[in-house]
Amino acid sequence: QVQLVESGGGLVQAGDFLRLSCAASGRTFSMYGMGWFRQAPGKERESVAAISRSGDVTLYADSVLGRFTISRDNAKNTVDLQMNSLKPEDTAVYYCARSRYAVAHLSPSLYDDWGQGTQVTVSS
């Protein structure tokens, strides 16, 4: 099991940027793909981005493609989400999660370990 702690959320204005970070415990971090997800009030959790265990493959939801970038540092056991050109509709609690597999994918049901989440609020 991998324990995950997100940080970097906050309140920003539309057009601003934020960088979220997820710190993972455990020696197996580099064996698994990682993902970022979000959940807005009254909505289901949705996929945002995913990265393969080596970092060579990344996937993005259409809603964030071109604005968000996922990256990882296996030496530091971290996975980051750079969010640029933020929009009010990006407001949500953001979660990082560990995949069951090494590849990148955007299926929440195939992620086994989840962080507690960090709030991102984008004002218009």
Side-chain angles (χ1 to χ4, degrees):
Q1 187 176 7
V2 174
Q3 294 184 333
L4 304 168
V5 179
E6 303 95 337
S7 62
L11 171 63
V12 297
Q13 294 185 330
D16 284 350
F17 65 91
L18 277 176
R19 188 175 183 90
L20 305 183
S21 186
C22 176
S25 66
R27 301 178 181 177
T28 60
F29 175 78
S30 62
M31 296 174 57
Y32 300 102
M34 296 292 295
W36 282 95
F37 301 82
R38 67 187 182 186
Q39 187 166 18
K43 296 186 177 180
E44 294 187 355
R45 186 170 296 186
E46 65 172 337
S47 306
V48 175
I51 189 167
S52 62
R53 78 173 207 178
S54 64
D56 59 341
V57 177
T58 56
L59 299 174
Y60 298 93
D62 289 344
S63 58
V64 306
L65 187 62
R67 300 188 297 122
F68 291 12
T69 302
I70 188 171
S71 60
R72 68 187 296 164
D73 186 334
N74 286 341
K76 296 181 179 179
N77 278 17
T78 58
V79 56
D80 292 349
L81 186 68
Q82 177 69 38
M83 307 187 295
N84 298 330
S85 303
L86 283 162
K87 304 176 181 180
E89 50 263 44
D90 294 319
T91 295
V93 177
Y94 283 71
Y95 301 87
C96 71
R98 177 192 66 82
S99 172
R100 195 173 300 172
Y101 305 110
V103 298
H105 66 87
L106 293 171
S107 302
S109 63
L110 298 180
Y111 283 78
D112 292 328
D113 296 318
W114 294 78
Q116 293 300 307
T118 185
Q119 176 70 48
V120 172
T121 304
V122 185
S123 63
S124 58

